[in-house]
C-alpha cells in the first residue's frame, strides 16, 4: 500500500533559502487558534455532542466539494448518501466510503486531496492512502476511532483549537442550539450565528410567501407588506446580535443595489403575493433588498459579507431531485465597482458600515476588489472562496490584492465548509501559502523579515478578529 505521509514542506517554496524562511514563518502560526468567521457547520452538532454516525456521514456526504467531483466521474449522488426526491439514500456508510476509495485518484492535484490527506493523517492517524484494496480496513479503523469520546464534536472542537466558529442561519431560525451552547458551562468554545436573508430577497422563487409567514411568526411582525418585511429582518438581526452574531452573509447573482422608493417596493411586494410579478420587477426588488440590507448594516454594525456571481442550481434536474447545495452551483463573471455604486455612495465612508467582498471570478481581485478596498474604509477584500480556495489561487490573490489594499484590508482565511474535520487542514493550507508569499517578499527585499513574522501572526489573529468585529 502507498504510505499516507503528507510532506512537512508541502506548499512551501522550491528555492532552499526561501523555503527555510517560509518554514519558520509557518512554524510561528501553525498552532495558532483558528478563527472561522464564515462556515456551514451546524451549531446543533456541537450542542448535541453526539458521536458521528459513520465515516461517510462525517467526511463525504455533507461535503459538496467531494460529492461534486465524484459525480463528475460518473458516481450518482444518491450513491454518496444524498436523498433523492425526498427518499433517503439506500447506500450504507461503508459503500459510500468504498466509492471514495475506488475513485481516490480523481482528487489528485486538487485541494480536496490536500485536505483529505491532512485530516486522514493528522486527525485520524491513518498511514495508508485509500484504495479499493484497503477500503474496508480503513473504514473499520475510522469507525472504531469515531466511537471514542475524544472524537466527539466538542472534543474535536477543542483539539482543533477553534477560537470562534460562525455558522450560517436563516433569519427565521430559532437559534436554539446557539442558546444551549452559550448556556452550557461545560462548553467553553465560541459558536456564533450569521444572518443570511437570501431567501427573502427573491419574490419570484417558489415558497417565498410561505417563508414570509414563517419569518412573521418568528419576529412577531406582519410581513404581508414590504415595510413589515424590513421590520421583521431588523428584529431578527437584533436577535442574532444578542446571540453573539457579528456578521451577515448574502449571495446573489449580481451586486446590483439600486434602491426603490417605498411606494414602488411595496407595489412589487404586493404583486409578488398576488401572482402578477414580472421578471424585471423581481430583479428590481432583489437589488433594492441588497441596498436595504446594507442600510441596516450601516445602522446596526453587523459586518456585511457579499458574494455575488454564482449561478445557483445550474443543473435543473439535479436540483429537482436532490435540492440545493449539491455541487452544481457554478461561477459567473463578477462585477463590483458599478453595481455597488449606490451602496458605496451612501455608506462607503460610514464608520459603522463594513462590507467584505468575495468572488469566484478572480479577475476582479486586482481590477475591482483591491482598488475598492484600497479607497473605501468600509470595504474589505474577502479571501479566495469556494472554487478559488486552492493553493495557487490563494497565492494569486495575495499578489493581486496586496499592491492596492495591503494586508489589513483583507478578511483572514475563510474555510466556508460543512466538513467539520477539514477545518484545520483548510486553515493550515492557507497558512502555508501565506508563509510562502511573505517569504518571497522578504527574499526580494520588499519586506523586512521582522515585518513578515508580524504579518504572518496578524493574518491568523487580529486581522480576522478586527474585520469581523469578533473582539
Amino acid at each position: 500500500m502507498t504510505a499516507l505521509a503528507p510532506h512537512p514542506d508541502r506548499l512551501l517554496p522550491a528555492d532552499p533559502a526561501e523555503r527555510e524562511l517560509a518554514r519558520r514563518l509557518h512554524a510561528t502560526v501553525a498552532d495558532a487558534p483558528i478563527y472561522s468567521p464564515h462556515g456551514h457547520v451546524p451549531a446543533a452538532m456541537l450542542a448535541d455532542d453526539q458521536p458521528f454516525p459513520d465515516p461517510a456521514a462525517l467526511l463525504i456526504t455533507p461535503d459538496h466539494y467531494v460529492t461534486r467531483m465524484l459525480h463528475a466521474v460518473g458516481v450518482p449522488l444518491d450513491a454518496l448518501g444524498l436523498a433523492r426526491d425526498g427518499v433517503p439514500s439506500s447506500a450504507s456508510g461503508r459503500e459510500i466510503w468504498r466509492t471514495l476509495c475506488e475513485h481516490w485518484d480523481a482528487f489528485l492535484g486538487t485541494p480536496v486531496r490536500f485536505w483529505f490527506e491532512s485530516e486522514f493523517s493528522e486527525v485520524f492517524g491513518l498511514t495508508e492512502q485509500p484504495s479499493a484494496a484497503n477500503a474496508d480496513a480503513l473504514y473499520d479503523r475510522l469507525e472504531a476511532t469515531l466511537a471514542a469520546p475524544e472524537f466527539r464534536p466538542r472534543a474535536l472542537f477543542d483539539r482543533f483549537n477553534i477560537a470562534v466558529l460562525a455558522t450560517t442561519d436563516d433569519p427565521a431560525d430559532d437559534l436554539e442550539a446557539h442558546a444551549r451552547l452559550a448556556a452550557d458551562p461545560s462548553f467553553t468554545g465560541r459558536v456564533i450565528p450569521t444572518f443570511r436573508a437570501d431567501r427573502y430577497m427573491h419574490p419570484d422563487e417558489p415558497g417565498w410567501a410561505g417563508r414570509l409567514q414563517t419569518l412573521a411568526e418568528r419576529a412577531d411582525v406582519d410581513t404581508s407588506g414590504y415595510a413589515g418585511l424590513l421590520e421583521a429582518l431588523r428584529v431578527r438581526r437584533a436577535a442574532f446580535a444578542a446571540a453573539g452574531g457579528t456578521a451577515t452573509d448574502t449571495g446573489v447573482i449580481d451586486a446590483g443595489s439600486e434602491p426603490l422608493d417605498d411606494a414602488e417596493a411595496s407595489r412589487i411586494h404586493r404583486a409578488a403575493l398576488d401572482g402578477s410579478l414580472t421578471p424585471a420587477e423581481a430583479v428590481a426588488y432583489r437589488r433594492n433588498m441588497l441596498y436595504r440590507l446594507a442600510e441596516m448594516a450601516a445602522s446596526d454594525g453587523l459586518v456585511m459579507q457579499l458574494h455575488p456571481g454564482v449561478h445557483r442550481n445550474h443543473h435543473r434536474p439535479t436540483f429537482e431531485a436532490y435540492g440545493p447545495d449539491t455541487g452544481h452551483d457554478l461561477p459567473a463573471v463578477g462585477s463590483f465597482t458599478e453595481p455597488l455604486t449606490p451602496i458605496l455612495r451612501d455608506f462607503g465612508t460610514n464608520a459603522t458600515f463594513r462590507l467584505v467582498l468575495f468572488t469566484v471570478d478572480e479577475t476582479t481581485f486586482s481590477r475591482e476588489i483591491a482598488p475598492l478596498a484600497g479607497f473605501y474604509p468600509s470595504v474589505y477584500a474577502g479571501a479566495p472562496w469556494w472554487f478559488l480556495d486552492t493553493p495557487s489561487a490563494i497565492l494569486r490573490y495575495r499578489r493581486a490584492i496586496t499592491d492596492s489594499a495591503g494586508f489589513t484590508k483583507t478578511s483572514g482565511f475563510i474555510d466556508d465548509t460543512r466538513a467539520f474535520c477539514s477545518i484545520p487542514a483548510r486553515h493550515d493550507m492557507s497558512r502555508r501559502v501565506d508563509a510562502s508569499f511573505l517569504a518571497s517578499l522578504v527574499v526580494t527585499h520588499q519586506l523586512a523579515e521582522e515585518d513578515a513574522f508580524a504579518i504572518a501572526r496578524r493574518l491568523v489573529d487580529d486581522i480576522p478578529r478586527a474585520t469581523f468585529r469578533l473582539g
Side-chain angles (χ1 to χ4, degrees):
M1 299 296 177
T2 304
L4 178 63
H7 197 283
D9 287 337
R10 57 195 184 279
L11 305 184
L12 301 186
D15 176 76
E18 195 171 333
R19 183 171 62 243
E20 189 276 332
L21 176 56
R23 278 180 191 148
R24 291 192 287 119
L25 286 163
H26 175 254
T28 67
V29 297
D31 298 321
I34 289 173
Y35 291 90
S36 178
H38 176 121
H40 301 278
V41 172
M45 182 191 76
L46 290 158
D48 297 339
D49 199 33
Q50 295 299 309
F52 294 107
D54 64 66
L58 172 63
L59 301 169
I60 302 172
T61 301
D63 192 343
H64 62 72
Y65 285 83
V66 177
T67 58
R68 72 182 303 272
M69 291 195 67
L70 291 172
H71 181 269
V73 296
V75 179
L77 291 176
D78 50 320
L80 298 171
L82 279 73
R84 178 173 186 143
D85 298 322
V87 179
S89 170
S90 62
S92 69
R94 186 178 294 274
E95 290 169 334
I96 296 167
W97 174 258
R98 284 176 183 159
T99 299
L100 174 76
C101 294
E102 290 163 2
H103 295 86
W104 184 236
D105 284 354
F107 298 98
L108 281 170
T110 70
V112 177
R113 179 85 172 227
F114 179 96
W115 301 329
F116 265 148
E117 288 183 343
S118 295
E119 63 185 295
F120 288 168
S121 172
E122 295 166 1
V123 177
F124 297 105
L126 299 186
T127 57
E128 296 176 357
Q129 294 278 0
S131 69
N134 67 6
D136 284 330
L138 293 182
Y139 185 88
D140 290 340
R141 178 167 178 180
L142 286 171
E143 191 172 44
T145 297
L146 290 176
E150 58 267 30
F151 283 86
R152 288 172 71 156
R154 293 191 188 185
L156 287 175
F157 186 97
D158 291 340
R159 177 179 166 187
F160 295 163
N161 198 17
I162 298 175
V164 177
L165 178 69
T167 62
T168 301
D169 310 273
D170 190 278
D173 193 292
D174 63 7
L175 304 182
E176 179 271 340
H178 289 87
R180 277 195 285 145
L181 286 171
D184 188 344
S186 69
F187 181 70
T188 58
R190 186 178 173 195
V191 179
I192 59 177
T194 300
F195 181 93
R196 184 151 184 180
D198 295 10
R199 298 172 67 194
Y200 305 90
M201 300 173 67
H202 301 274
D204 54 336
E205 289 188 352
W208 182 73
R211 289 193 286 274
L212 290 187
Q213 182 57 39
T214 302
L215 178 63
E217 293 168 1
R218 178 65 59 199
D220 195 23
V221 175
D222 181 5
T223 58
S224 61
Y226 167 70
L229 172 58
L230 296 186
E231 179 59 22
L233 292 174
R234 292 188 193 98
V235 168
R236 293 306 297 158
R237 290 171 70 99
F240 272 60
T246 68
T248 70
D249 186 25
T250 305
V252 283
I253 187 61
D254 64 68
S257 58
E258 190 65 39
L260 301 171
D261 63 46
D262 288 348
E264 178 64 0
S266 296
R267 184 193 67 77
I268 296 175
H269 190 98
R270 290 193 301 272
L273 291 176
D274 68 23
S276 62
L277 182 76
T278 68
E281 288 171 337
V283 171
Y285 189 92
R286 182 248 300 162
R287 290 175 175 171
N288 168 72
M289 287 298 293
L290 184 62
Y291 179 91
R292 298 305 167 193
L293 291 174
E295 187 175 50
M296 293 178 197
S299 174
D300 64 23
L302 291 179
V303 177
M304 184 176 187
Q305 299 177 88
L306 177 63
H307 52 272
V310 176
H311 283 295
R312 301 283 175 179
N313 307 311
H314 188 266
H315 189 241
R316 194 70 190 180
T318 296
F319 172 69
E320 291 171 352
Y322 296 99
D325 301 317
T326 48
H328 50 110
D329 296 344
L330 297 173
V333 175
S335 181
F336 294 89
T337 304
E338 289 300 323
L340 288 175
T341 296
I343 286 176
L344 295 177
R345 175 194 64 215
D346 295 343
F347 313 119
T349 57
N350 180 311
T352 303
F353 184 58
R354 181 156 299 171
L355 177 63
V356 184
L357 299 178
F358 296 94
T359 186
V360 287
D361 176 5
E362 65 178 286
T363 66
T364 63
F365 281 142
S366 59
R367 187 180 72 244
E368 301 193 43
I369 293 177
L372 288 169
F375 172 76
Y376 285 100
S378 63
V379 176
Y380 287 70
W385 156 81
W386 207 340
F387 291 92
L388 300 180
D389 57 356
T390 72
S392 56
I394 293 171
L395 191 57
R396 290 194 297 270
Y397 162 85
R398 287 292 176 207
R399 289 171 174 159
I401 291 288
T402 306
D403 284 351
S404 295
F407 292 101
T408 61
K409 291 303 295 295
T410 62
S411 67
F413 181 65
I414 299 297
D415 56 67
D416 184 46
T417 188
R418 294 169 174 80
F420 180 55
C421 288
S422 74
I423 289 175
R426 293 174 192 241
H427 283 261
D428 182 62
M429 179 185 75
S430 174
R431 293 172 185 190
R432 288 173 179 274
V433 174
D434 283 342
S436 297
F437 178 66
L438 291 168
S440 74
L441 296 183
V442 173
V443 299
T444 54
H445 309 292
Q446 299 178 73
L447 192 68
E449 186 170 314
E450 60 266 30
D451 289 331
F453 278 91
I455 287 293
R457 290 188 289 270
R458 295 188 66 192
L459 286 171
V460 302
D461 191 303
D462 70 271
I463 286 176
R465 286 193 294 110
T467 301
F468 288 93
R469 294 175 169 154
L470 298 173

